[in-house]
């Protein structure tokens, strides 16, 4: 007997995680679903937090309650995504902005029904990726940034019900992609679709730099599949002694809490 399809949902989806954790890859998988539109990063939602945050004392003089300002923010931000989704024949929208991991308290206040997907990658590999993509100083700062992103996002996630917050490990996503993605789409209440993992065969609004970088990584790894696990554990051969020491000091407790050894 065929398994019943999961209950369909219409709530917005927010995909977050520390930069260089695989969020772009996961964004393209989501965007490959026939119902979900996951467009370019927005990044500006925290800027609107000023309205009900540090600027609230002044703006409250307009006489509108805080809830009304939140509604206006929700209609503006959600309207942009909904209109974009409609132009692509999609019925549900997702936002992939890694930075929102630091603002999930505001995100979930504006969108009280939002489903949060938090992609977590081994912090040591994230440090390596920062060095290769942004330079050595970025890698040094990442040993502090990565655990801060993890702690902040998980703290908000701990306050949400199970159907609102979902953690996905990068390592499983790239080594067992179908198993990992089936679990994700079940959480989202969306049916599984064959071919969804072949995201590179579909059209996405992606900056050319991402396409070029992905092609270079696949060529360097000698793979042709869009999802591959060759970058798992790169820290073992690419993390120098100084960065290893910094990771041990600043990222070690979070690595251990997440079960990374």
């Amino acid at each position: 007997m065929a398994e019943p399809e999961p209950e369909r949902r219409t709530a917005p989806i927010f995909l977050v995680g520390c930069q260089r954790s695989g969020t772009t890859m996961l964004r393209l998988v989501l965007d490959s679903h026939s119902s979900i539109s996951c467009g370019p990063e927005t990044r500006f939602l925290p800027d609107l937090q000023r309205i009900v945050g540090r600027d609230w004392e002044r703006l409250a003089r307009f006489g509108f309650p805080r809830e009304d300002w939140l509604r206006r923010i929700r209609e503006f931000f959600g309207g942009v995504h909904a209109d974009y989704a409609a132009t692509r024949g999609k019925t549900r929208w997702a936002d992939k902005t890694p930075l929102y991991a630091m603002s999930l308290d505001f995100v979930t206040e504006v969108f009280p029904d939002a489903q949060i997907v938090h992609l977590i990658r081994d912090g040591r590999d994230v440090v390596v990726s920062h060095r290769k993509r942004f330079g050595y100083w970025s890698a040094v700062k990442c040993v502090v940034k990565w655990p801060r992103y993890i702690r902040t996002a998980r703290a908000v996630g701990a306050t949400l019900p199970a159907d609102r917050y979902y953690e996905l490990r990068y390592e499983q996503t790239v080594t067992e992609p179908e198993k990992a993605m089936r679990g994700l789409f079940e959480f989202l209440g969306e049916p599984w679709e064959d071919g969804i993992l072949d995201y590179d065969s579909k059209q996405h609004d992606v900056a050319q730099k991402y396409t070029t970088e992905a092609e270079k990584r696949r060529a360097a790894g000698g793979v042709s599949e869009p999802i591959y696990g060759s970058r798992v554990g790169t820290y073992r051969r690419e993390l120098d002694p100084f960065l290893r020491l910094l990771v041990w000091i600043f990222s070690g407790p979070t690595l251990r809490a997440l079960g990374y050894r």
Side-chain angles (χ1 to χ4, degrees):
M1 180 181 296
E3 294 183 2
E5 287 190 354
E7 180 184 354
R8 299 296 296 273
R9 302 193 63 163
T10 58
I13 303 162
F14 284 85
L15 170 57
V16 300
C18 186
Q19 290 87 348
R20 312 307 297 174
S21 292
T23 53
T24 296
M25 175 268 293
L26 190 54
R27 170 214 159 178
L28 298 179
V29 172
L30 289 176
D31 196 54
S32 297
H33 194 280
S34 63
S35 297
I36 300 174
S37 167
C38 192
E41 293 183 24
T42 51
R43 303 189 186 184
F44 66 84
L45 187 56
D47 295 327
L48 301 178
Q49 189 171 7
R50 289 179 49 187
I51 295 172
V52 292
R54 72 186 195 194
D55 290 344
W56 175 241
E57 183 178 352
R58 173 168 49 83
L59 294 178
R61 295 170 189 158
F62 278 97
F64 303 115
R66 191 173 186 275
E67 291 72 19
D68 191 62
W69 286 97
L70 290 172
R71 176 187 60 79
R72 294 169 188 267
I73 294 170
R74 179 165 55 250
E75 290 177 352
F76 166 62
F77 187 87
V80 171
H81 273 300
D83 289 348
Y84 174 73
T87 66
R88 306 174 71 224
K90 307 290 187 82
T91 57
R92 188 177 183 188
W93 63 263
D95 183 295
K96 171 260 177 181
T97 302
L99 183 65
Y100 293 170
M102 304 300 292
S103 305
L104 285 183
D105 52 349
F106 181 62
V107 168
T108 54
E109 185 177 22
V110 176
F111 296 98
D113 60 339
Q115 289 186 287
I116 310 300
V117 178
H118 182 195
L119 184 59
I120 297 176
R121 184 183 185 185
D122 188 324
R124 296 164 292 190
D125 283 343
V126 175
V127 171
V128 169
S129 189
H130 270 69
R131 178 178 60 79
K132 294 173 75 71
R133 183 71 176 87
F134 304 122
Y136 200 86
W137 179 236
S138 178
V140 171
K141 293 188 292 183
C142 183
V143 303
V144 175
K145 180 175 82 170
W146 176 79
R148 186 173 70 246
Y149 268 64
I150 299 294
R151 288 195 305 267
T152 303
R154 295 190 99 198
V156 175
T159 69
L160 299 175
D163 65 342
R164 298 269 319 285
Y165 176 80
Y166 190 80
E167 287 185 359
L168 191 62
R169 294 297 178 95
Y170 169 86
E171 292 75 24
Q172 184 193 25
T173 300
V174 297
T175 57
E176 300 179 286
E178 182 167 338
K179 179 180 179 180
M181 297 304 181
R182 280 184 178 274
L184 172 61
F185 282 103
E186 182 178 358
F187 162 75
L188 295 175
E190 296 290 345
W192 179 257
E193 296 179 353
D194 292 334
I196 201 168
L197 300 180
D198 298 322
Y199 62 78
D200 60 341
S201 66
K202 300 175 177 63
Q203 184 66 39
H204 310 280
D205 289 327
V206 180
Q208 183 61 39
K209 65 178 181 179
Y210 291 115
T211 303
T212 302
E213 182 185 355
E215 291 173 349
K216 288 181 178 178
R217 287 200 303 266
R218 285 201 292 265
V223 296
S224 57
E225 298 82 5
I227 301 177
Y228 54 91
S230 61
R231 298 302 296 171
V232 174
T234 54
Y235 72 89
R236 294 187 178 92
R237 59 183 182 274
E238 298 186 28
L239 206 60
D240 65 56
F242 179 61
L243 286 175
R244 285 180 183 271
L245 176 62
L246 293 180
V247 166
W248 182 78
I249 294 172
F250 295 103
S251 302
T254 303
L255 284 166
R256 290 188 290 273
L258 292 169
Y260 289 111
R261 297 289 184 262

